Amino acid sequence: MSESSNYIGGVFGTGQGPEQTVINPATGETVRTYRADDESSVAAALAAARDAFPQWSGATPADRSAALYALFTELEKVAEELAQAETSQTGKPIRLSREFDVPGSIDNVAFFAGAARHLTGHASAEYSGDHTSTIRRQAIGVVGSISPWNYPLQMAVWKILPAIAAGNTIVLKPAETTPLTTLMLAEACGRADIPAGVVNIVNGPGPTTGEAIVRSPLISMTSFTGSTAVGRHIAALAAGNGTRLHLELGGKAPFVVFDDADLDAAIQGAVAASLINTGQDCTAATRAYVHRSRFDDFVSGVAELMGKVRLGDPLDEDTDQGPLASFRQRDKVAGMVERAVQAGARAVAGGKAPGGDLAAGAYYEPTLIIEAEQKSEIVQQEVFGPVLAALPFDSDEEAITLANDTAFGLAASAWTTNVFRAQEAARRIDAGTVWINDHIPIISEMPHGGMKSSGYGKDMSTYSFEEYTQIKHVMADLTGAVAKDWHRTIFRQR
Ligand code: NDP
């Protein structure tokens, strides 16, 4: 697999497109090069998926489940190698890879191995009196999927597992900068004897390799995780193709601290939730709205704690925060902070790339911004870096209004010791997930997905089967009569 770019029909191969480079963002060094997959590889992958569909979708749920449990076992054997590879291509701290990305991904595989045997639907019954109505929940066909670079393994698992557990086959393209762990996942699929063609991987740039998947008439569904801008472009392509769509797009999660909150918990929670994965998390806390009576204490507490976060070599167990996943992303973050400061905001922690030994990597200091306008870019747009903006509010009503005042709706949290406030915030904040007195945890049994410009459809949990299956109603006559009762509407009553 070492030189391969693709996994098609159960075989590793090499693309014929331009050379791509995987860079370690902690050092700027090349981890690996590969040739991108062009349209011919994509066509071969789609054909392999199409050919594998009849047998895989016709397998018993128990057989599909057994194959996915075998995948779970194979992944557990290479957990440490996966963690090392994930860190080398993204720069995320090894602790995060070992304790979050890899075990979370493997748990998701285990979950879908079980869930494959438990598709749900309405009870069959004689709803009309003259027929038995039955629901069939069937696979859709070939899923074309595109995943991002922030959690490469986890996002590939979130896309592949519900799709194949439900009996679909898939062609997935990871981000061109982070192909390694997705190819290792494919390798584990091979060792687990998941039939050839059920899971296919191609690699290369979005506008070429990615679009070749989305435009193909062979796919029945597109599932995408990434930026809102690219998501909308893909939605337009999918509309042209008439294919079903599932979009998990950007976020701009509010973090609302009411006046009765446990401030120590809120401070620690805000630092952890804004800096996880160097802030490159679509659910990361990005906008802290804090009651004016607690605002100054919150700001000084967060700034002090951010100052203690250790930046360094991602392979060092003691490192808290690694570099951004690419120099391009680091420069984007730096540009947004610079523009915020020019517009009148202040960075009371961080606000720059560190010097010294870390200057060779794509590092950026944990950053707390205050005095930004609600309408400003830093409050409204996704930064996708270790940057939290804090703004004060005066009433519960204002807090909820500000929390809802962006285009996004992926995640949010409310910090309060008052159960009524907590329930009101959970009900009124427009987000696919609302945490109470925490921010970030996810769990395989529960859905993840957005509202508003954060997309639609769910990853994880049995709710994801709503995306990856289609419902068929089978209505069987029970009367055996030539003249059915409803024929009165066509023929005169005899
Ligand atoms: P993109 O949306 O560009 O990347 C996500 C995936 O889409 C990648 O696999 C990418 O491929 C692919 N892609 C890009 N253009 C196309 C296209 N025209 N057709 C098909 N596929 C395409 O994210 P960026 O890397 O540009 O990051 C920009 C911003 O997106 C980030 O700053 C962040 O705000 C947001 N983002 C959000 C994520 C989330 O989890 N919600 C994840 C990643 C990014 P390739 O990179 O190989 O070109």
Side-chain angles (χ1 to χ4, degrees), residues 4 29 35 186 221 248 296 305 382 408:
S4 306
E29 285 161 8
R35 299 269 307 271
M221 173 177 171
E248 204 273 84
D296 289 347
L305 198 52
E382 202 172 20
F408 299 100

Side-chain angles (χ1 to χ4, degrees), residues 60-287:
T60 64
D63 284 347
R64 281 203 294 271
S65 172
L68 300 189
Y69 272 119
L71 175 60
F72 163 77
T73 305
E74 290 303 326
L75 289 172
E76 284 218 306
K77 288 181 197 160
V78 291
E80 178 59 19
E81 289 91 323
L82 284 164
Q84 295 282 338
E86 199 71 313
T87 286
S88 75
Q89 65 180 352
T90 62
K92 66 179 70 199
I94 192 71
R95 263 193 286 136
L96 185 67
S97 297
R98 277 188 190 135
E99 293 172 27
F100 184 77
D101 292 55
V102 172
S105 304
I106 294 176
D107 181 67
N108 215 245
V109 175
F111 173 81
F112 280 108
R117 301 182 74 168
H118 191 64
L119 295 179
T120 57
H122 273 106
S124 296
E126 290 63 49
Y127 293 99
S128 77
D130 286 345
H131 309 83
T132 296
S133 282
T134 307
I135 287 298
R136 296 187 61 84
R137 189 184 277 278
Q138 295 189 182
I140 296 170
V142 176
V143 176
S145 194
I146 294 174
S147 58
W149 41 262
N150 55 340
Y151 292 104
L153 176 66
Q154 206 162 28
M155 294 302 103
V157 165
W158 285 15
K159 297 283 158 226
I160 292 171
L161 266 293
I164 66 172
N168 303 284
T169 56
I170 191 164
V171 175
L172 178 132
K173 186 203 86 69
E176 68 192 284
T177 50
T178 54
L180 303 185
T181 46
T182 308
L183 288 167
M184 292 169 75
L185 175 63
E187 211 173 24
C189 287
R191 288 197 305 273
D193 286 333
I194 292 188
V198 172
V199 174
N200 304 275
I201 306 297
V202 289
N203 273 291
T208 51
T209 316
E211 286 202 19
I213 299 173
V214 181
R215 286 179 192 280
S216 169
L218 286 184
I219 62 167
S220 302
M221 173 177 171
T222 304
S223 92
F224 171 79
T225 298
S227 63
T228 297
V230 173
R232 287 184 175 169
H233 176 64
I234 283 174
L237 295 177
N241 213 358
T243 44
R244 185 191 276 233
L245 192 58
H246 169 202
L247 297 175
E248 204 273 84
L249 307 178
K252 191 71 189 172
F255 183 104
V256 182
V257 184
F258 291 99
D259 60 4
D260 59 26
D262 174 340
L263 202 64
D264 290 340
I267 288 168
Q268 175 137 339
V271 174
S274 60
L275 302 186
I276 184 166
N277 206 29
T278 318
Q280 302 159 117
D281 182 311
C282 48
T283 64
T286 60
R287 303 176 283 142

Side-chain angles (χ1 to χ4, degrees), residues 9-45:
V11 178
F12 282 99
T14 304
Q16 300 299 311
E19 187 168 270
Q20 308 290 318
T21 310
V22 180
I23 304 276
N24 180 339
T27 58
E29 285 161 8
T30 297
V31 177
R32 153 113 180 248
T33 56
Y34 66 92
R35 299 269 307 271
D37 287 302
D38 61 11
E39 286 202 11
S40 64
S41 308
V42 172

